Amino acid sequence: GNCLLMSFHGMPRTAAGSVAYRDACFRTAKRLAETLELDAPDWRVGFQSRFGYGKWIEPCTETTLAALGQKGLKRLDVVCPGFSADCLETLWEIAVEGKAVFQKSGGGEFNFVPCLNGDDAWIHALTEISSGCLKDG
């Protein structure tokens, strides 16, 4: 089977707003899945970039990647909806380390979906969003 993993940046559970942030990420993922017409088993949410010893919001992207690989998933697409442009941290964590975890665990094809980056349509949309916010403020 195939699956879409939507990986958001993690946050310590003790951080102010962590519950609201986690809820917002899940709402975003659900709306994306509905728009893409994906059924519940065909999409997952994960949180990346954990560090230190504290508890972080879950589910963890790395753990999810390993579990999907162990299930023998044939193809996994991974997108990071919380980012408007790719950054080296995410590219390394997801496209390199995440791919290795998934495939070493038994998974098949791994496809990292790049962010919107400098695409003309995104830059124009960002300009409109920013201009609207500046006028309102």
Side-chain angles (χ1 to χ4, degrees):
N2 300 338
C3 185
L4 175 65
L5 174 61
M6 294 173 254
S7 184
F8 295 87
H9 202 284
M11 178 184 288
R13 279 198 224 170
T14 56
S18 65
V19 172
Y21 171 74
R22 184 181 187 277
D23 290 347
C25 291
F26 271 91
R27 280 193 310 274
T28 298
K30 185 174 184 208
R31 290 175 79 183
L32 282 170
E34 288 169 353
T35 300
L36 295 170
E37 299 179 356
L38 297 175
D39 294 325
D42 298 333
W43 64 276
R44 298 279 188 342
V45 171
F47 294 93
Q48 66 196 58
S49 301
R50 295 178 308 159
F51 59 89
Y53 297 104
K55 296 282 187 185
W56 286 63
I57 55 177
E58 295 179 329
C60 167
T61 293
E62 185 177 358
T63 304
T64 301
L65 288 167
L68 291 171
Q70 290 166 359
K71 288 183 178 181
L73 191 68
K74 300 278 189 243
R75 177 188 166 117
L76 178 65
D77 296 306
V78 182
V79 65
C80 300
F83 292 85
S84 60
D86 288 315
C87 67
L88 291 177
E89 176 188 6
T90 298
L91 289 172
W92 180 257
E93 272 190 325
I94 303 299
V96 177
E97 291 179 339
K99 178 180 182 178
V101 167
F102 175 68
Q103 292 181 330
K104 284 180 184 174
S105 299
E109 183 182 346
F110 183 97
N111 181 39
F112 174 75
V113 179
C115 291
L116 299 171
N117 296 317
D119 182 89
D120 286 347
W122 170 236
I123 296 303
H124 291 301
L126 189 58
T127 300
E128 286 183 31
I129 293 166
S130 300
S131 296
C133 290
L134 292 172
K135 287 176 188 172
D136 293 340

